[in-house]
Amino acid sequence: MTHTPAMRRQQGAALLIGMIMLLLITLTVTAAFNLSSSNLKSVGNLQTRNEAVAAANRAIEEVASSLLAPDSDGTPSLTPPQATVSLVDINNDGTTDYTVVVAAPVCVRATKAVDTGGGTVTGPSGITGGASSSGSGLSTLPDQYNSVWDISTTVTDATSGTTTAVRQGVRALLNKVQFEALCNTTGPTP
């Protein structure tokens, strides 16, 4: 069997092209693997962040519900809210997943609620409607104050140690005694 000069020149070309194609396929698969791996990490981080926010919201709800809870004798609470720590087991496996540190809630604003005397009330953007219970038509109402409380939390993931901060405002209706004890920084109101 005799080989022509043209056949001798082509003997190594197929092997070289095959090696180049194999290298390109390997690079493509490696890039796809790295991309999917980083996407998986991003989704995992987002899920962990959402769980941390849910844990913070759970702790904020506990603090907000107890913010002005009556004392054991039924009288309105005059005890300033305290900082708390909440251990949250998000997946109910008996292990703490998140530690939520809730700073002492701070009364940032309180305004006196005004009796409208009944009738209609004009709200934002000119929307009118029936008056609320504060517009009951009574000649006098006890002094009440609409207060806004700032509740700040720091959530720590027990597994990774990462932290997430969550802040929320909570509105509460105070009587005059609560307002003076908890929100009034200027002294007694006449």
Side-chain angles (χ1 to χ4, degrees):
M1 178 173 192
T2 62
H3 294 291
T4 63
M7 287 179 72
R8 285 188 200 144
R9 281 183 277 158
Q10 292 182 6
Q11 284 181 339
L15 180 62
L16 183 61
I17 290 174
M19 292 297 283
I20 291 172
M21 293 302 290
L22 186 59
L23 178 65
L24 290 176
I25 291 171
T26 302
L27 290 175
T28 303
V29 168
T30 303
F33 178 76
N34 287 338
L35 181 63
S36 67
S37 175
S38 65
N39 285 343
L40 184 62
K41 287 178 184 176
S42 296
V43 169
N45 288 341
L46 184 60
Q47 179 181 356
T48 301
R49 183 187 177 283
N50 287 342
E51 286 179 354
V53 169
N57 286 336
R58 180 174 161 181
I60 288 171
E61 286 296 323
E62 290 173 5
V63 169
S65 66
S66 67
L67 187 64
L68 300 172
D71 290 334
S72 58
D73 62 357
T75 60
S77 174
L78 299 176
T79 307
Q82 303 297 314
T84 60
V85 175
S86 179
L87 304 176
V88 179
D89 177 13
I90 205 87
N91 57 5
N92 295 323
D93 65 352
T95 305
T96 299
D97 297 311
Y98 296 95
T99 302
V100 183
V101 177
V102 182
V106 177
C107 180
V108 292
R109 182 178 64 232
T111 57
K112 189 171 183 179
V114 179
D115 181 18
T116 63
T120 59
V121 176
T122 303
S125 304
I127 298 171
T128 60
S132 66
S133 60
S134 67
S136 61
L138 298 174
S139 59
T140 60
L141 284 176
D143 288 337
Q144 294 183 334
Y145 296 83
N146 291 314
S147 64
V148 177
W149 295 78
D150 178 27
I151 302 177
S152 298
T153 65
T154 302
V155 184
T156 304
D157 182 359
T159 306
S160 66
T162 58
T163 60
T164 302
V166 177
R167 276 180 83 181
Q168 185 169 330
V170 175
R171 183 174 166 241
L173 190 62
L174 307 176
N175 64 29
K176 184 175 182 177
V177 175
Q178 288 173 312
F179 166 73
E180 289 176 351
L182 304 173
C183 284
N184 190 6
T185 58
T186 61
T189 302

